[in-house]
Amino acid sequence: MFQKILIANRGEIALRILRAAKELGIQTVAVHSTADANAMHVRLADESVCIGPPPSRDSYLNIHQIVAACEITGADAIHPGYGFLSENAKFADILAAHNITFIGPSGDHIRVMGDKIEAKRTAKRLGIPVVPGSEGGVTDEGEAKRIAADIGYPVIIKASAGGGGRGMKVARDETELSVALDTARTEAAAAFGDDAVYIEKYLEKPRHIEVQILGDGRGNAVHLGERDCSLQRRHQKVWEEATSPALNGEERSKIGDTCAKAVADLGYSGAGTIEFLYENGKFYFIEMNTRLQVEHPVTEAITGIDLVHEQIRVASGSGLSVTQDDIRFNGHAIECRINAEDARTFVPSPGTVTTFHTPGGLGVRVDSAVYSGYKIPPYYDSLIGKLIVHGRNRVECMMRLRRALDEFVVDGINTTLPLFRDLVGNPDIANGDYDIHWLEKYLAQKP
Ligand code: MV4
């Protein structure tokens, strides 16, 4: 097992990783920008190193400074959290060359999944159902038209170097397709320095359902069920739940087993998420994330498995602590992302939090690095905390969520809490009756 882990992140996820390390008896090193000198993760870590000025590119993305901090403190491994360097294949390769363990998959696995055409080809080869579309990239307009005619309109053009909703264009007929292909390629070249694009059938009203997997890097893997992340705005998830209100146990086991077998065959190491669109009872692979995700606590709530413990175990060579037969899905969990943003306009609202009073009680978890008097810097993501509520079933979970939201007090800044107080009383949400477009439509018509 590791003696000392460096946490290459900030905010609630730095704290989350720190807690797991402490439980495993591992020393921790925090790195921070000058803007984060007073941050909670810095105070709670055993050691800390300032790695640069506020902008991420000079601090949390500065590979040289992070490797230097690791060598100075003698840490044997780095946990990247999410965002920042978590899906940077070059970072994983550099750490390997320095004999520092990257707590995550190999650089090669990150690279395959980072290229969306390559990821889809790999998924298909491993028996994961994919969205009908082009085999690989498309450059020629005639070829694009043949494929679109074959799969039927509407179609969507996606950038291979994109992902997470960046660089997509929908075309509803041949005329729109020529324009979409041109603009998609031009925009992809400008945004990513790679003009490779591919075509898929456009699904009109899917849900976003993602399967959590863990691989041990030696050909064994398990799935931890799914999360439904359909409630999002501009590709930012807002509310996530496990299990999905749309799936039954049979569907869960079937897609879960398919994913676990695929990542086992891939020799994948660590935590990962296989993302699907789900429509009319069918799953369609879209992307794989090769990191721990923001919404991982809903999976932890219903399985009782600490995903960060498992990541650390696997990276250190101790293997997974569970087999598939040990994993049960118990009750229901919902996560609300508390952002320092106006609840209607989503305009960021940095500044000093004068009061931060978090809810508690049975089935309530708050992951946050904020405290009363903390000044939220304007340089980073606006996520300031996550409220995760668990119940024996979805109805109990919703009752508990309403109560927890009532207890939550954040003064001094705007937050997304009022939005959740609205959503928890909405009949469509109560019924689990929503797709990926539901929230944006709701916000557009809200008086
Ligand atoms: C799609 C789609 C419909 N059909 N692909 C957006 C994020 C990126 N990961 C994939 N995305 C989509 N791909 C096909 N073939 C609709 C979306 C999409 C979406 C997906 C998940 C969650 C929210 C979304 C919002 C708009 C569009």
Side-chain angles (χ1 to χ4, degrees):
M1 188 44 75
F2 305 122
Q3 299 272 311
K4 198 186 273 190
I5 290 176
L6 183 145
I7 301 161
N9 215 300
R10 62 181 303 284
E12 68 86 21
I13 197 64
L15 206 50
R16 167 72 190 84
I17 297 159
L18 196 142
R19 287 171 173 152
K22 275 198 174 170
E23 288 174 7
L24 294 172
I26 301 168
Q27 296 281 107
T28 54
V29 180
V31 292
H32 65 90
S33 70
T34 54
D36 281 340
N38 297 316
M40 194 57 120
H41 76 278
V42 177
R43 291 198 202 181
L44 292 184
D46 295 301
E47 294 170 77
S48 65
V49 181
C50 181
I51 51 167
S56 301
R57 97 186 71 85
D58 303 320
S59 49
Y60 299 104
L61 290 171
N62 189 332
I63 295 177
H64 291 296
Q65 285 286 70
I66 291 167
V67 171
C70 205
E71 297 198 316
I72 288 164
T73 56
D76 9 59
I78 296 186
H79 196 305
Y82 52 67
F84 296 128
L85 295 168
S86 61
E87 292 179 289
N88 186 314
K90 200 181 89 189
F91 182 56
D93 288 346
I94 288 170
L95 294 190
H98 283 78
N99 280 314
I100 300 166
T101 305
F102 177 74
I103 302 177
S106 68
D108 287 341
H109 281 147
I110 298 174
R111 210 169 274 115
V112 166
M113 295 305 166
D115 179 314
K116 304 306 162 187
I117 290 175
E118 196 60 30
K120 191 173 175 185
R121 192 179 285 130
T122 305
K124 195 172 177 183
R125 172 170 64 78
L126 294 169
I128 295 173
V130 302
V131 191
S134 56
E135 297 271 342
V138 174
T139 47
D140 174 59
E141 192 176 314
E143 185 195 3
K145 286 183 176 169
R146 274 193 303 280
I147 293 163
D150 189 42
I151 61 179
Y153 287 91
V155 298
I156 185 167
I157 319 254
K158 296 181 175 181
S160 189
R166 297 175 315 149
M168 309 189 316
K169 291 274 174 291
V170 178
R172 297 195 174 271
D173 54 44
E174 273 207 359
T175 321
E176 286 186 12
L177 180 61
S178 331
V179 182
L181 185 62
D182 256 24
T183 44
R185 293 191 63 203
T186 311
E187 286 180 16
F192 315 116
D194 173 2
D195 71 354
V197 299
Y198 60 109
I199 302 185
E200 286 183 346
K201 173 85 185 165
Y202 178 68
L203 304 175
E204 299 270 10
K205 288 176 173 177
R207 299 179 79 110
H208 173 127
I209 298 180
E210 55 185 36
V211 176
Q212 177 70 54
I213 59 85
L214 285 168
D216 70 357
R218 312 171 195 152
N220 305 297
V222 295
H223 76 87
L224 289 92
E226 80 287 3
R227 297 181 286 261
D228 197 315
C229 307
S230 302
L231 290 172
Q232 57 80 44
R233 175 187 174 271
R234 299 195 185 166
H235 303 294
Q236 292 291 322
K237 293 166 186 166
V238 168
W239 160 306
E240 303 100 342
E241 51 186 306
T243 55
S244 169
L247 294 195
N248 61 38
E250 217 172 301
E251 291 175 288
R252 171 167 313 109
S253 294
K254 183 159 181 259
I255 195 67
D257 288 343
T258 300
C259 290
K261 184 177 183 305
V263 295
D265 289 351
L266 202 56
Y268 187 84
S269 176
T273 303
I274 307 191
E275 293 190 347
F276 294 93
L277 298 177
Y278 176 83
E279 195 175 68
N280 300 324
K282 290 204 196 83
F283 285 93
Y284 303 93
F285 170 89
I286 45 172
E287 293 174 17
M288 178 171 180
N289 299 320
T290 54
R291 62 168 190 280
L292 183 72
Q293 289 195 269
V294 174
E295 60 271 23
H296 77 276
V298 294
T299 299
E300 296 186 323
I302 65 158
T303 61
I305 295 166
D306 186 314
L307 287 172
V308 182
H309 279 188
E310 297 304 319
Q311 286 186 296
I312 294 171
R313 284 183 59 101
V314 164
S316 73
S318 307
L320 294 168
S321 77
V322 286
T323 63
Q324 195 66 54
D325 284 343
D326 300 326
I327 301 169
R328 291 284 176 276
F329 303 105
N330 168 31
H332 196 89
I334 296 173
E335 172 178 280
C336 298
R337 294 194 188 193
I338 319 295
N339 288 351
E341 290 173 356
D342 183 278
R344 295 190 65 102
T345 62
F346 299 93
V347 171
S349 175
T352 301
V353 177
T354 52
T355 309
F356 192 70
H357 177 81
T358 58
L362 181 63
V364 178
R365 166 176 175 182
V366 177
D367 276 18
S368 177
V370 173
Y371 52 87
S372 292
Y374 176 68
K375 190 173 176 189
I376 296 160
Y379 309 102
Y380 312 107
D381 190 275
S382 63
L383 183 84
I384 59 160
K386 308 184 302 204
L387 168 62
I388 305 103
V389 174
H390 182 239
R392 286 171 299 174
N393 50 55
R394 194 166 183 273
V395 170
E396 185 177 81
C397 186
M398 290 283 281
M399 295 187 330
R400 190 163 281 155
L401 175 58
R402 181 176 293 118
R403 184 277 288 173
L405 287 165
D406 273 349
E407 280 182 40
F408 216 136
V409 181
V410 184
D411 287 338
I413 57 156
N414 294 321
T415 74
T416 45
L417 280 167
L419 170 63
F420 296 115
R421 295 186 183 120
D422 267 3
L423 292 178
V424 79
N426 183 282
D428 286 349
I429 301 300
N431 294 327
D433 185 12
Y434 56 81
D435 60 34
I436 61 170
H437 304 295
W438 187 95
L439 184 60
E440 302 208 34
K441 277 190 225 157
Y442 171 78
L443 293 167
Q445 56 82 64
K446 206 161 102 93

